[in-house]
Amino acid sequence: IAKYNLYNSNVNRVYGNLTATYDINSWLSLMMKGGVNTYSEARRNVIRKGGTALPNGLVQTEDLTNKEQDFNFIATINKDLSEAFHLKALVGINSNERKYSARRITGSNIISAGLNLTDATSTQIVDYDYSRLRRLIGVYGDISLSFRDYLFLNIVGRNDFSSTLPKGNNSYFYPGASVSFL
């Protein structure tokens, strides 16, 4: 089995990101960052004819691709409003998309042992699956207000619009708030 039942996988992956920041003035900055993670994988599975699980044997090839892109644009304010109050606020937008595709050819009932090709089987089944797994657009904010560096109020929120939810009902909001003191 170890000698003749062969499984091979060849994966090629590329990923990277880029960030750029620009300070408009002493209290306002803009940042844009994005990244891509993509890979392709070629799989090959051969199960020799004559075994107990698949007595007629099997030859299968699969080609998979997966890609994710993520981009953010963020504006940050960091400013003293007076001697007593300080404001730090972050507002941003996020775009995320994931794509996946798979193509499989499965050949069963090996006719000519040793060729290890789907053409050398009596039955071939082709399966192609393509789907955009998800596209997400989000808007978010984080506002922190401090009083004399001992009393702090923080309010956060994010609203996402997702392609995986029904149109007209594809938005969801999740807020948060906290108060603390030192």
Side-chain angles (χ1 to χ4, degrees), residues 42-179:
R43 296 177 182 170
R44 184 169 179 71
N45 189 16
V46 177
I47 299 175
R48 187 177 188 195
K49 190 173 186 172
T52 56
L54 293 167
N56 294 326
L58 174 126
V59 177
Q60 184 178 58
T61 60
E62 282 185 284
D63 294 316
L64 310 170
T65 59
N66 192 41
K67 182 178 183 181
E68 181 174 3
Q69 300 173 344
D70 190 78
F71 298 97
N72 280 282
F73 179 76
I74 302 168
T76 304
I77 297 170
N78 196 356
K79 183 174 174 101
D80 287 326
L81 301 176
S82 69
E83 286 186 25
F85 289 97
H86 181 80
L87 172 70
K88 185 170 184 178
L90 178 143
V91 178
I93 185 165
N94 171 244
S95 170
N96 182 282
E97 182 175 275
R98 296 178 185 173
K99 292 181 182 177
Y100 171 81
S101 68
R103 183 183 61 87
R104 282 174 216 85
I105 301 173
T106 304
S108 57
N109 193 17
I110 294 176
I111 297 169
S112 182
L115 286 181
N116 298 337
L117 300 171
T118 52
D119 291 346
T121 61
S122 65
T123 306
Q124 296 88 32
I125 298 172
V126 177
D127 179 31
Y128 183 75
D129 176 29
Y130 174 80
S131 63
R132 181 180 309 140
L133 297 180
R134 183 188 69 168
R135 179 177 282 159
L136 183 84
I137 304 291
V139 238
Y140 54 90
D142 182 344
I143 299 170
S144 297
L145 186 62
S146 66
F147 177 72
R148 299 201 187 275
D149 279 336
Y150 76 87
L151 183 60
F152 301 90
L153 169 66
N154 185 248
I155 299 170
V156 297
R158 180 176 173 117
N159 197 87
D160 283 333
F161 303 90
S162 177
S163 65
T164 59
L165 298 173
K167 287 187 177 184
N169 197 19
N170 65 339
S171 171
Y172 49 96
F173 178 69
Y174 35 103
S178 67
V179 175

